[in-house]
Amino acid sequence: SGKEGAPAAPSAAAVAATAPSSRVPAQACHELLTAEMLSPLLLHLANHFVTDKSRPEMVAIGLNTTREVCARVPLAMDATLLADLIEYRKDRDKAVVAAARSLLQLFRDRMPALLHKKYRGKGCDLGEKPDAYGALQVATGVEGAELLSAREARLAAAGKLRRDEDGGPAGEGDTDDGSEEEEG
């Protein structure tokens, strides 16, 4: 009744398995990429994956990838594209709805000023913005290091701290008298 030589249409699971992973573009994004460099990527995702003509699995992958990219560099998203992507909250497929809601929640937390007023939620801070491009928070020391030096000073004052030849704290197997034990 059917053509025997015709290939069967791939299943939804096969399409999702061969689709590009949302981790690959998102893992390549970091805080030193400018928003201008990532805007074409977001537009490409929206134009090729997140369309009404695409399968629901592809739309969900496109929305999730967009969310992961924006989680790393939120300044790459513009308000019109975000408004279009959030409208997928009303889709029939549960995966697409969940992906659109997670994108909405990300921007409620990171940049609520980019959302339309009805999507912001109650009690949002409109002044909250992500760090500007190139703004790194560099650690200047190890938190709690002063506690370690204070403990060493207390132990040294009590005479309980053992020191090795270099003047540092002695290790587990070190002894105070300098004698070495022979293993037999």
Side-chain angles (χ1 to χ4, degrees):
S1 61
K3 294 183 180 179
E4 292 180 21
S11 67
V15 171
T18 59
S21 174
S22 64
R23 294 180 185 168
V24 174
Q27 286 178 347
C29 298
H30 51 84
E31 62 272 357
L32 294 179
L33 287 175
T34 62
E36 291 81 26
M37 294 172 75
L38 291 177
S39 293
L41 173 67
L42 293 178
L43 287 174
H44 181 77
L45 285 170
N47 291 336
H48 293 279
F49 288 95
V50 188
T51 63
D52 294 334
K53 297 175 184 174
S54 298
R55 291 179 144 198
E57 297 88 8
M58 292 294 138
V59 174
I61 288 172
L63 286 170
N64 285 330
T65 305
T66 302
R67 182 194 71 231
E68 289 298 320
V69 169
C70 291
R72 294 169 190 248
V73 186
L75 294 172
M77 180 65 72
D78 63 337
T80 56
L81 180 59
L82 181 61
D84 290 342
L85 295 178
I86 287 176
E87 289 302 317
Y88 280 92
R89 293 177 308 112
K90 301 172 185 171
D91 198 74
R92 292 183 302 223
D93 190 63
K94 287 191 327 185
V96 173
V97 170
R101 284 182 180 172
S102 66
L103 183 66
L104 174 63
Q105 191 61 41
L106 172 75
F107 279 94
R108 278 182 181 163
D109 294 339
R110 296 272 177 100
M111 289 181 62
L114 205 57
L115 294 168
H116 190 268
K117 186 178 178 181
K118 69 179 180 179
Y119 296 130
R120 288 181 192 152
K122 293 186 178 185
C124 72
D125 182 19
L126 291 177
E128 185 170 339
K129 291 188 178 186
D131 293 336
Y133 167 71
L136 293 177
Q137 297 175 352
V138 179
T140 57
V142 177
E143 187 176 327
E146 66 277 355
L147 297 175
L148 179 62
S149 62
R151 182 175 184 270
E152 285 180 355
R154 274 196 326 267
L155 289 175
K160 296 181 181 179
L161 183 66
R162 296 180 292 184
R163 300 268 179 193
D164 61 4
E165 295 85 29
D166 298 335
E172 287 287 324
D174 294 343
T175 57
D176 286 336
D177 58 3
S179 64
E180 297 178 10
E181 296 178 342
E182 291 185 24
E183 294 182 22

